[in-house]
């Protein structure tokens, strides 16, 4: 255990507890002393989880306080109607409770924010360690895009799946989705789907699994036979062409996750349709490096790819968890 | 005012001249020296004309980004059909020539009257003008054009075939179409075209075929099936080998079919080459308005895009199911048929390695969006290929656009649908005027019939 880091984290957490606007810069400045980014990431993750747990506790407490406050207020009303009772005590109590409630809420929110930042940093450090460790297989660390040479800027705007006649009236018409008139176009082309992706969407090609027990990276796989036809841009996926990805998975210690069966899913949010093909993991080309074949995107826009791990993988408590862990990657192509 | 309505009448030579006139007018209204009978009248008239002129001008003004957006629709951008991995003869001209003969040869059908061209007539842009095609019987759907089919990864409305060669084998055995058995067709074919066959595909084992029964097929009537099952595996393979070669020749033929540029392409070319002055001669203001709607408010281009005006994807646009027919299961049934098909890319008769059959290996076999979804058809020559949709549900383009304008979602039939059908379109709320404009644009996609292109086989139609 690195004591310095532990102390630093303690400071951060106290800062939050005090309700000051704690800044995360403190953690970033320790970068120079990090020898093992993966280990460091794991520690950050622990701290993040602790902060999250603390935040949750504060919110729970706040709920209790809220209940007490309600009781006091009712008591106060009763007191006002009865001159025999001294309402002063009650008023003081109320003031105290309000203060506690506010402080709990601020602290809780700060801690939650802190936990989020720590998780982000954990992911960044893990990525660094991962790239070092898996040098041979990582050739692209950028988010995946679609090749710039792809001229096709169309995408169909299918936003409905099953509708009742009455609902149709409530759906907006394509005209309403027409993008704000662009200065450089006289054609009023309907809004392109990529605009549906929220601006702060995480499109990183490195991700922790949902249960934060594994870490994965995706990239387009090109071998000699396909290289010539593929784009030179290693981050680019082709349009409307079946191609392959590499999915690299490590456990929380940075060791490859070997020999597991992985299920592949994908869809376009806001489009209610899945992938045009059914991609599969066809091979484990090296320990923890899985070949995903049959990937195809028939349009630009926001896609979500999901890789589901077997449900019988051991979780942190070393017990069998029936909710399988999984990775989701957002792509804005 | 009067001029506006004339201009909007559509694209006849008159409106083109009027369009031109405006361009000239813009330049010379000032010098108009005609003696006015009524000065005020003239002033009013000139004002209106000026307004129309500038409106029209704006209509024909496209920015560089507009042009970049439209350019992918040019037919000249189509290029060669994608390489066929499963048919090594796909670019073989002798195979294509043989394929052309077969496409038009009715003598090999059961009643000696049916060929591919019965339902895919060149002069009708390879369609037949019917809601349900007719040969020895009536087919379940309407015949689509084969123009551009070589560019699609899937054939038929529901995509139940993964290549043109495999597709071509369907009609031959279909009792509503050629109504022949596999063995009968193969034998008659080899007797009629022995040299052509040998030239492309090599040896024929005619003597071995001679010993076989008169008819046999794994898909025919009970007698034919029985005969087929009584044949040895080697005999069956022999027939299947020739049968698949026949498909490959017909495919090679259809890959040679090209689409000449339409008025729309000439317009777009002029735009790309910045020959602005010519634009009003090529498309009328009404048609240009229609074009702007097509890629804009009407949202058609989101599915009907590229040089063939199709994305070759499967969608459910809710064309109403005829009440006397089973519901349209579309792609849902199509993938089921593909998995069972004897002649896919993955089959023994394909020239591809399994590795190369990516579309079949990663075929999507489930998903709610497959139910009732059909392949987006090309809109090239659409004005000439009525009736419309997979069962000719709409007689004319106005009905089609009216459907897109106020669509009724597909009816959910709990007994026949595996889940509530997907629905991929939204009401457009176009005005009556806009519907007319959109329709007039669709008419600009008609190519002239290429009488001198031997692949089209229009020779017989020129009298």
């Amino acid at each position: 255990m690195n004591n310095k880091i532990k102390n630093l984290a303690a400071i951060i957490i106290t800062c939050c507890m005090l309700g000051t606007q704690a800044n995360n810069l403190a953690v970033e400045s320790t970068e120079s002393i990090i020898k093992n980014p993966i280990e460091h990431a794991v520690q950050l993750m622990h701290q993040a989880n602790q902060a999250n747990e603390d935040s949750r506790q504060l919110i729970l407490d706040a709920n209790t306080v809220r209940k007490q406050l309600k009781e006091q207020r009712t008591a106060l009303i009763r007191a006002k109607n009865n001159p025999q009772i001294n309402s002063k005590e009650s008023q003081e109590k109320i003031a105290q409770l309000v203060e506690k409630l506010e402080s709990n809420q601020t602290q809780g929110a700060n801690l939650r924010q802190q936990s989020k930042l720590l998780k982000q940093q954990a992911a960044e450090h893990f990525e660094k360690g991962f790239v070092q460790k898996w040098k041979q297989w990582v050739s692209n660390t950028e988010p995946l895009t679609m090749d710039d040479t792809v001229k096709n800027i169309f995408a169909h705007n299918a936003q409905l799946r099953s509708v009742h006649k009455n609902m149709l009236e409530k759906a907006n018409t394509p005209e309403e989705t027409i993008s704000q008139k662009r200065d450089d176009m006289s054609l009023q082309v309907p809004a392109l789907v990529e605009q549906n992706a929220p601006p702060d969407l995480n499109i990183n090609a490195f991700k922790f699994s949902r249960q934060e027990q594994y870490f994965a990276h995706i990239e387009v796989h090109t071998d000699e036979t396909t290289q010539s036809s593929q784009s030179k841009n290693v981050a680019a996926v082709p349009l409307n062409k079946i191609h392959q990805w590499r999915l690299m998975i490590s456990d929380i210690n940075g060791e490859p996750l070997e020999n597991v069966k992985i299920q592949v899913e994908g869809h376009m949010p806001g489009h209610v349709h899945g992938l045009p093909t059914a991609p599969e993991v066809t091979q484990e080309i090296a320990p923890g490096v899985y070949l995903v074949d049959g990937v195809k995107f028939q349009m630009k826009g926001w896609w979500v790819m999901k890789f589901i791990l077997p449900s019988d993988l051991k979780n942190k408590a070393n017990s069998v968890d029936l909710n399988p862990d999984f990775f989701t990657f957002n792509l804005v192509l | 005012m009067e001029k506006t309505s004339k201009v909007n009448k559509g694209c006849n030579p008159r409106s083109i001249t009027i369009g031109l006139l405006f361009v000239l007018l813009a330049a010379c209204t000032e010098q108009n020296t005609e003696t006015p009978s009524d000065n005020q009248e003239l002033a009013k008239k000139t004002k209106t004309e000026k307004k129309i002129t500038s409106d029209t001008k704006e209509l024909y003004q496209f920015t560089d980004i507009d042009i970049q957006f439209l350019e992918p629709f040019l037919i000249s951008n189509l290029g060669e059909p994608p390489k066929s991995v499963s048919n090594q003869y796909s670019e073989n001209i002798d195979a294509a020539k043989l394929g052309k003969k077969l496409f038009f040869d009715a003598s090999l059908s059961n009643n000696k009257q049916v060929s591919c061209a019965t339902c895919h007539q060149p002069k009708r842009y390879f369609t037949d003008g019917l809601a349900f095609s007719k040969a020895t019987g009536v087919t379940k759907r309407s015949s689509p054009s084969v123009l551009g089919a070589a560019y699609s990864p899937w054939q038929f409305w529901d995509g139940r075939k993964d290549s043109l060669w495999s597709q071509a084998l369907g009609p031959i055995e279909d009792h509503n179409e050629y109504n022949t058995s596999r063995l009968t067709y193969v034998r008659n074919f080899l007797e009629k075209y022995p040299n052509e066959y040998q030239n492309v595909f090599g040896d024929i084992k005619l003597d071995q075929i001679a010993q076989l029964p008169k008819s046999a097929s794994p898909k025919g009537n009970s007698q034919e099936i029985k005969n087929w099952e009584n044949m040895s595996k080697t005999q069956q393979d022999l027939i299947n080998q020739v049968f698949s070669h026949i498909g490959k020749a017909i495919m090679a033929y259809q890959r040679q079919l090209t689409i000449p540029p339409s008025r729309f392409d000439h317009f777009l070319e002029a735009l790309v080459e910045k020959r602005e002055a010519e634009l009003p001669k090529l498309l009328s203001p009404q048609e240009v308005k229609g074009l702007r709607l097509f890629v804009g408010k009407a949202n058609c281009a989101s599915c009907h895009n590229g040089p063939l005006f199709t994305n070759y994807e499967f969608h459910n646009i809710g064309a109403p199911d005829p009440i006397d027919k089973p519901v349209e299961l579309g792609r849902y049934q199509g993938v089921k048929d593909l998995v069972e098909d004897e002649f896919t890319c993955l089959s023994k008769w394909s020239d591809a390695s399994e590795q190369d059959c990516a579309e079949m290996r990663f075929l999507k076999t489930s998903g709610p969006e497959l139910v009732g979804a059909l392949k987006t058809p090309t809109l090239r020559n659409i004005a000439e290929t009525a009736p419309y949709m997979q069962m000719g549900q709409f007689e004319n383009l106005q009905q089609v656009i009216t459907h897109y304008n106020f669509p009724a979602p597909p009816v959910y039939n709990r007994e026949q649908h595996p889940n509530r059908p997907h629905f991929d379109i939204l009401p457009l709320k176009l005005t009556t005027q806009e519907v007319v404009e959109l329709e007039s644009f669709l008419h600009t996609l008609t190519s002239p019939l290429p009488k001198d292109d031997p692949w089209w086989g229009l020779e017989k139609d020129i009298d």
Side-chain angles (χ1 to χ4, degrees), chain A residues 73-187:
Chain A
R73 284 191 170 132
T74 337
L76 187 63
I77 292 166
R78 234 180 280 131
K80 275 196 176 137
N81 295 338
N82 185 347
Q84 240 116 73
I85 302 176
N86 182 359
S87 64
K88 192 143 181 251
E89 201 182 311
S90 202
Q91 272 164 344
E92 270 168 21
K93 192 110 196 232
I94 288 178
Q96 273 172 16
L97 285 173
V98 167
E99 200 179 318
K100 180 141 198 274
L101 182 63
E102 278 170 1
S103 131
N104 267 24
Q105 279 171 338
T106 338
Q107 285 179 31
N110 281 340
L111 277 172
R112 200 176 317 122
Q113 179 63 15
Q114 195 60 31
S115 164
K116 223 175 117 187
L117 286 171
L118 284 165
K119 275 190 185 173
Q120 251 172 41
Q121 288 166 13
E124 280 160 25
H125 286 287
F126 208 107
E127 175 179 332
K128 223 169 270 162
F130 188 95
V131 173
Q132 276 171 22
K133 207 163 169 171
W134 300 53
K135 246 184 256 133
Q136 193 197 343
W137 292 106
V138 179
S139 55
N140 168 50
T141 56
E142 295 302 306
L144 297 185
T145 59
M146 196 164 269
D147 206 328
D148 286 343
T149 57
V150 171
K151 261 206 204 150
N152 186 337
I153 44 177
F154 296 105
H156 68 81
N157 284 343
Q159 294 146 325
L160 306 177
R161 180 163 124 206
S162 49
V163 273
H164 189 269
K165 274 196 186 98
N166 302 341
M167 283 308 290
L168 212 52
E169 288 306 309
K170 299 191 175 68
N172 56 350
T173 64
E175 191 189 10
E176 285 147 19
T177 60
I178 282 181
S179 49
Q180 286 196 322
K181 202 166 165 3
R182 294 171 48 159
D183 295 342
D184 56 354
M185 269 183 117
S186 76
L187 297 171

Side-chain angles (χ1 to χ4, degrees), chain A residues 151-165 168-169 171-178 182-190 192 240 242 244 266 271-280 282 293-296 298-299, chain B residues 58 61-73 153 291-292 295-299 301-303 305-306 311 313 315 355 358-359 361-365 368-369 407-411 419-429:
Chain A
K151 261 206 204 150
N152 186 337
I153 44 177
F154 296 105
H156 68 81
N157 284 343
Q159 294 146 325
L160 306 177
R161 180 163 124 206
S162 49
V163 273
H164 189 269
K165 274 196 186 98
L168 212 52
E169 288 306 309
N172 56 350
T173 64
E175 191 189 10
E176 285 147 19
T177 60
I178 282 181
R182 294 171 48 159
D183 295 342
D184 56 354
M185 269 183 117
S186 76
L187 297 171
Q188 303 224 314
V189 179
L192 300 177
N240 241 328
I242 291 185
Q244 301 172 322
H271 265 259
V272 241
H273 68 62
L275 293 166
T277 52
E280 281 170 24
T282 51
D293 203 349
V295 187
K296 177 163 134 176
Q298 78 273 42
M299 63 177 88
Chain B
E58 209 169 280
Q61 258 157 17
F62 290 85
T63 66
D64 287 347
I65 306 287
D66 291 337
I67 297 171
Q68 213 184 324
F69 181 87
L70 292 172
E71 211 185 328
F73 287 87
L291 162 63
R292 286 177 179 276
V295 297
K297 183 178 173 187
N299 208 21
S302 64
C303 298
N305 60 49
N311 56 3
E313 276 183 57
H315 299 285
Q355 199 60 29
E359 288 286 0
R361 281 171 65 215
F362 304 106
L363 180 70
K364 181 182 181 130
T365 52
E369 70 264 42
V411 175
N419 57 263
R420 186 185 282 277
H422 208 256
F423 188 45
D424 287 346
I425 56 168
L426 295 167
L428 302 171
K429 302 177 187 164

Side-chain angles (χ1 to χ4, degrees), chain B residues 235-254:
Chain B
Q235 289 169 326
Q236 291 176 354
D237 281 358
L238 182 68
I239 300 303
N240 281 339
Q241 173 84 65
V242 181
F243 196 48
S244 58
H245 282 157
I246 289 169
K248 289 175 185 176
I250 297 177
M251 169 174 181
Y253 163 60
Q254 290 175 89

Side-chain angles (χ1 to χ4, degrees), chain A residues 242-245 262-267 274-282 291-297 303-307, chain B residues 358-359 361-365:
Chain A
I242 291 185
H243 62 288
Q244 301 172 322
W245 280 10
I262 300 153
Q263 223 180 303
V264 189
E265 280 176 10
H267 72 281
L275 293 166
T277 52
E280 281 170 24
V281 169
T282 51
L291 193 70
V292 186
D293 203 349
V295 187
K296 177 163 134 176
F297 301 101
W303 287 92
V304 175
M305 291 293 283
K306 192 168 166 185
F307 299 98
Chain B
E359 288 286 0
R361 281 171 65 215
F362 304 106
L363 180 70
K364 181 182 181 130
T365 52

